[in-house]
Amino acid sequence: MTRDEFVGELIACAKRLWTSMWSALPDERRLRLAAIEDELGVIGRQVQAGLWQLVAEHLDELSAQLEARCDGCRYRRERRREQVEVDVLGHRCVFACSYLYCRRCGKGVNPVRRWLGIEHGDVSLGLERAVTDLTTRMTFGDAVDSMQEHHGQALDRTKAERITYRVGEQAAAYLGERRAKAREQELSGEGAMAPQLVFTADGGMIPVGVLTRPAEEQVDAKTPRTPVRQLAKGTRTIAGREGRLISVHPAQRQDQRVVDMHIAPYDDVAYTGERMRAAAAAAGLRDHSHIHGVFDMGRWIHPQFEEQFDSYERSACADIMHVADYLIDAGRVVAGVDGAIGWGMMQKRRLLDGQLDAARADLAAHACTETCTSDEHPQCRVGIARRYIDNHELYVDQYAEIRRRDLPVGSGEAESGVRHLLKRRMSIAGAWTEAHADLMLGLLAIRASGWWDDFWIWRDLQDREQWHQRQRGADRPQFRGRRISTAPEVTA
């Protein structure tokens, strides 16, 4: 019998019983849309729970068929029975698991565990997806409340965290595979080529904390302890780490953007540079591609852009709005507070029209006086603007040509990404560990790149491969369940 045939029989059986059950309901329950929805929801949840129970009973029956004698020596096996609780989407299932042991061969097997790959307290792939979908959008506490509201399923906040970080580890492996494949395709020339790519990058601070517990000699009977593990409570020092966002996409096709988010190691800008190159390769960077970069002139961005894409046709410019901020600041000295914005916007228009020399001349015409500096601004702001333009001349002298090619001159895409992709989730009150922050950034990057469905298809394929390994006896997972202290039960 196929699944469709089974469902058809189930509906036919329900149809025979439907009239007597439904007609017994009061009119306000069977003739009102909201009440009908509620009734069907309850029936659906009960039917699903019943089907899970049928599955558990069927697996127990299959397991019982293997109990009698050992496959190798035909010696009678010993049996130990235990119950394993597993959370699936919407339910908590209890599976009866029998451990079968042959003393002569010294071998044991737990058929249900081998089939399902479960330990006590595990969760299903569907529940992992539902939880992670919420925890990447809101706090862990809010995600738990939302699970209760929409699925009627109670979860502990810390369990939601553990699920998310476990999925985050899988996400890191998935992204690593994608980066490696993208670099291979870039070198071999395989895959779709994007003739014109747009690159932008920016960063934002993430609160990262380091937990420090008191030393053993400082711990006494009065020291507060954690409720479960009874560890001495510590303090968490919160500091800021820069989360970096890279976005690359074909020109005029932001829907095909590839986003990378990560926390780079200290003093290792090359790490971010490699991620830049991999993101561009995933977006279609090939031998004949042209890549255009627009960014503020952060020390980790433009040097790595030039180094990573040195062998490709490229163009780059400083974010015009970032440059305008310097010019408006200079305008406060040259034209006064009231005229600063107008003066700065005039210089900005000159740069956009390719009149760098005219803007430079206006800045050079300023003669510093005592009024140029103050306690708040110890350096002349006109001088600061001049040095910025002189130091980055190559990146402020191409605006007219870049606009003629219909390419962006502002990095608003990256700044918006930092606000709405990175900080919206990562800057919520509290602090991350650095490792957990990086795992969450990986999940956010998958969603922002439009790979969410593909990631879960990949996870399902990984789960299938692990199942085959278990059947071959090749997979020996580390024990993560609850220890059973009862003695084995010998079958008659």
Side-chain angles (χ1 to χ4, degrees):
M1 176 180 286
T2 66
R3 179 177 58 193
D4 290 343
E5 290 171 343
F6 171 75
V7 173
E9 290 291 330
L10 203 62
I11 295 296
C13 181
K15 189 175 181 180
R16 290 193 294 271
L17 303 173
W18 181 261
T19 303
S20 59
M21 185 278 294
W22 199 252
S23 60
L25 294 175
D27 286 351
E28 72 165 21
R29 297 298 299 169
R30 63 190 180 92
L31 302 177
R32 185 168 57 90
L33 181 62
I36 294 173
E37 182 180 44
D38 183 56
E39 286 289 340
L40 294 182
V42 172
I43 292 171
R45 287 190 292 271
Q46 291 178 349
V47 168
Q48 191 174 30
L51 290 174
W52 274 110
Q53 183 61 37
L54 288 177
V55 168
E57 292 172 0
H58 176 66
L59 292 176
D60 192 36
E61 291 172 3
L62 288 179
S63 177
Q65 296 173 12
L66 304 175
E67 286 184 7
R69 295 186 181 276
C70 173
D71 294 335
C73 66
R74 308 305 298 169
Y75 189 74
R76 191 175 299 278
R77 284 168 164 163
E78 296 177 357
R79 180 184 66 182
R80 181 182 68 202
R81 293 179 65 82
E82 58 180 307
Q83 289 188 333
V84 176
E85 293 183 354
V86 178
D87 287 324
V88 299
L89 186 58
H91 304 280
R92 173 162 292 177
C93 300
V94 179
F95 292 95
C97 297
S98 295
Y99 179 72
L100 312 176
Y101 181 72
C102 175
R103 288 191 178 274
R104 179 173 292 180
C105 294
K107 296 180 180 179
V109 62
N110 192 320
V112 175
R113 287 181 186 268
R114 186 184 67 191
W115 295 329
L116 303 184
I118 56 174
E119 298 291 351
H120 188 79
D122 270 353
V123 300
S124 68
L125 203 65
L127 180 60
E128 284 185 340
R129 178 167 185 170
V131 170
T132 311
D133 180 67
L134 293 172
T135 56
T136 52
R137 301 173 188 268
M138 60 187 73
T139 66
F140 294 110
D142 289 342
V144 167
D145 293 341
S146 188
M147 285 294 296
Q148 180 68 56
E149 172 69 22
H150 297 293
H151 299 285
Q153 188 161 15
L155 285 177
D156 181 70
R157 181 186 62 82
T158 56
K159 185 166 188 174
E161 290 186 33
R162 292 194 299 273
I163 290 171
T164 302
Y165 297 142
R166 187 162 64 243
V167 175
E169 292 170 355
Q170 293 292 312
Y174 168 79
L175 289 171
E177 286 188 13
R178 288 200 72 121
R179 284 193 292 269
K181 182 179 179 180
R183 291 304 304 273
E184 290 175 4
Q185 290 180 333
E186 176 197 358
L187 295 175
S188 65
E190 299 176 355
M193 182 196 80
Q196 177 66 63
L197 289 172
V198 175
F199 167 96
T200 186
D202 204 353
M205 300 307 293
I206 296 173
V208 172
V210 178
L211 180 65
T212 304
R213 299 189 188 278
E216 284 296 327
E217 58 271 15
Q218 298 175 332
V219 177
D220 55 30
K222 296 181 179 179
T223 302
R225 295 181 178 272
T226 58
V228 178
R229 299 173 64 190
Q230 291 297 301
L231 300 174
K233 287 188 175 180
T235 57
R236 192 180 296 276
T237 303
I238 299 178
R241 285 299 307 275
E242 185 180 29
R244 294 175 177 175
L245 180 144
I246 299 162
S247 175
V248 190
H249 60 82
Q252 313 302 330
R253 293 303 305 268
Q254 291 193 21
D255 59 314
Q256 297 180 11
R257 68 178 176 177
V258 174
V259 177
D260 184 290
M261 288 186 274
H262 64 276
I263 295 178
Y266 285 111
D267 300 322
D268 188 4
V269 294
Y271 179 90
T272 298
E274 292 171 1
R275 302 290 277 263
M276 292 178 178
R277 182 71 171 264
L285 181 69
R286 300 295 183 269
D287 287 343
H288 300 292
S289 298
H290 180 280
I291 185 165
H292 169 67
V294 53
F295 31 72
D296 65 32
M297 304 311 292
R299 293 181 180 179
W300 62 269
I301 304 179
H302 73 279
Q304 282 301 308
F305 177 84
E306 298 294 346
E307 179 179 332
Q308 295 296 327
F309 304 111
D310 179 64
S311 59
Y312 291 90
E313 293 186 22
R314 67 192 185 281
S315 59
C317 67
D319 175 14
I320 189 62
M321 297 309 298
H322 191 68
V323 178
D325 288 339
Y326 280 90
L327 294 172
I328 291 172
D329 239 12
R332 300 182 193 280
V333 176
V334 176
V337 175
D338 293 337
I341 295 179
W343 191 88
M345 290 297 102
M346 178 183 69
Q347 305 305 331
K348 172 190 167 185
R349 287 191 294 272
R350 285 177 169 176
L351 292 178
L352 290 175
D353 292 338
Q355 301 174 27
L356 174 61
D357 291 339
R360 255 186 179 157
D362 279 0
L363 291 170
H366 171 71
C368 287
T369 65
E370 295 180 355
T371 60
C372 291
T373 60
S374 63
D375 292 340
E376 185 180 355
H377 300 285
Q379 298 183 50
C380 176
R381 285 169 281 180
V382 177
I384 293 173
R386 285 181 61 187
R387 284 194 298 276
Y388 181 87
I389 288 179
D390 289 342
N391 291 339
H392 305 300
E393 178 178 356
L394 293 176
Y395 297 94
V396 297
D397 194 26
Q398 303 294 325
Y399 290 121
E401 174 63 18
I402 291 170
R403 293 175 72 201
R404 186 187 66 78
R405 297 178 61 182
D406 199 25
L407 294 173
V409 295
S411 61
E413 179 184 340
E415 294 174 1
S416 174
V418 168
R419 285 195 304 272
H420 299 293
L421 299 178
L422 191 150
K423 285 192 172 184
R424 185 177 67 177
R425 180 63 185 92
M426 305 303 294
S427 294
I428 296 174
W432 305 84
T433 66
E434 186 170 328
H436 288 167
D438 224 20
L439 294 178
M440 179 61 77
L441 288 174
L443 289 167
L444 295 175
I446 288 174
R447 185 185 291 281
S449 300
W451 298 338
W452 191 251
D453 289 338
D454 185 70
F455 168 60
W456 289 101
I457 292 172
W458 178 87
R459 287 218 65 203
D460 185 66
L461 292 174
Q462 296 292 308
D463 188 65
R464 292 185 187 187
E465 177 58 29
Q466 290 170 6
W467 184 87
H468 285 290
Q469 290 179 5
R470 288 196 302 273
Q471 309 323 301
R472 295 193 300 265
D475 183 41
R476 300 292 184 192
Q478 182 180 0
F479 180 77
R480 294 186 288 109
R482 181 178 58 186
R483 297 291 179 185
I484 303 298
S485 59
T486 56
E489 171 191 343
V490 181
T491 56

